[in-house]
Amino acid sequence: MDRMRALILSDIHGNLEALNAALDAAGEYDTVWNLGDVVGYGASPNEVIDIVRERAQINVRGNHDRVCCGLASALGFNPVARAAAMWTRDEMTAANREWLAAVPAGPITPAEMPSVTLAHGSPLNEDQYILTMRDAWAPLHQIGTTITFIGHTHLQGGFAQRDPDWHELRPQYKTRNEAESWTLSLPESTRHLINPGSIGQPRDCDWRAAFAIYDTIANEVIFRRVPYDLTAAQGRILMAGLPEKLAARLREGR
Ligand code: ZN
């Protein structure tokens, strides 16, 4: 396969302002991979699904997607997440609900990119959070591809392993409010688990929308952060009658 730049989006969570800012800033790309949790928490589920349906070549379902489209019960969610899921379920159009219900579970390997795995949580268990090297260990050793992209934790970064060495990756940025990027080159024969971060509800104490671009020729991942119209996204959440906490936490990035 020739050079390809894949735009990788995860955990958009119904945040239209953040998604638009990310797409505007992304520059050139050949394909879009969505790692799940398109909806839940944010107040623009239909607008976000419309964009993702049009742009993403590959979609992986997330746990919020599953609950919001009625495939799973909200009983395992905390009260705030549950309230948002119920609101989203009512708000979505029938067509969008159907589309979401048909999104496959991970892990998925793109036909044109056999060295890549895409998943929402762990590629070994879609609901598992990969927060530490302990969580990353089994997937790094058991998944057959050299690179796996995951979401679910809303933490941008990842894990690298080349026996007997391994380390955690955290992008380093200079500001807290400007558009920035941080490039990670992928050495041969090192295996990676990479989280592009969350578009719509980052939890790494950085409010800016997070995403990544995977460049297959340069063999690098470019992590990105972009500011977005936070006030508009917060206003929509409050006006929709969703829990206030969901608006407040966006500012804190957690
Ligand atoms: Zn999520």
Side-chain angles (χ1 to χ4, degrees), residues 23-36:
L23 292 172
D24 285 349
E28 280 182 34
Y29 50 84
D30 307 298
T31 189
V32 178
W33 299 338
N34 152 39
L35 304 185

Side-chain angles (χ1 to χ4, degrees), residues 41-210:
Y41 297 137
S44 306
N46 288 309
E47 295 85 344
V48 162
I49 290 180
D50 289 342
I51 294 172
V52 171
R53 284 178 72 165
E54 193 190 303
R55 304 225 186 179
Q57 272 80 49
I58 298 182
N59 296 283
V60 181
R61 75 177 184 191
N63 52 320
H64 286 257
D65 299 331
R66 233 159 65 220
V67 171
C68 291
C69 70
L71 278 181
S73 142
L75 285 176
F77 278 5
N78 66 51
V80 168
R82 194 183 314 146
M86 293 302 109
W87 179 89
T88 304
R89 198 181 282 187
D90 290 343
E91 183 73 12
M92 273 193 292
T93 65
N96 281 342
R97 214 178 300 123
E98 259 172 53
W99 176 82
L100 198 58
V103 171
I108 292 173
T109 286
E112 73 281 17
M113 294 284 293
S115 58
V116 171
T117 298
L118 305 176
H120 181 67
S122 165
L124 302 175
N125 171 355
E126 64 177 321
D127 289 322
Q128 197 201 330
Y129 291 90
I130 297 186
L131 292 159
T132 63
M133 193 64 200
R134 193 191 306 279
D135 305 325
W137 190 260
L140 279 170
H141 285 88
Q142 289 174 35
I143 296 299
T145 58
T146 49
I147 189 160
T148 300
F149 292 98
I150 54 165
H152 199 35
T153 63
H154 301 209
L155 303 174
Q156 192 179 49
F159 302 88
Q161 171 251 330
R162 181 183 180 183
D163 288 332
D165 300 315
W166 48 267
H167 61 274
E168 198 174 331
L169 303 156
R170 285 278 166 243
Q172 303 296 316
Y173 298 111
K174 295 189 181 71
T175 77
R176 308 299 291 167
N177 48 22
E178 286 169 29
E180 285 188 76
S181 62
W182 189 78
T183 300
L184 170 74
S185 57
L186 306 167
E188 292 283 321
S189 70
T190 298
R191 301 160 67 81
H192 285 89
L193 262 178
I194 298 289
N195 191 324
S198 168
I199 293 280
Q201 196 199 75
R203 293 180 191 160
D204 41 16
C205 299
D206 183 335
W207 67 277
R208 296 172 291 183

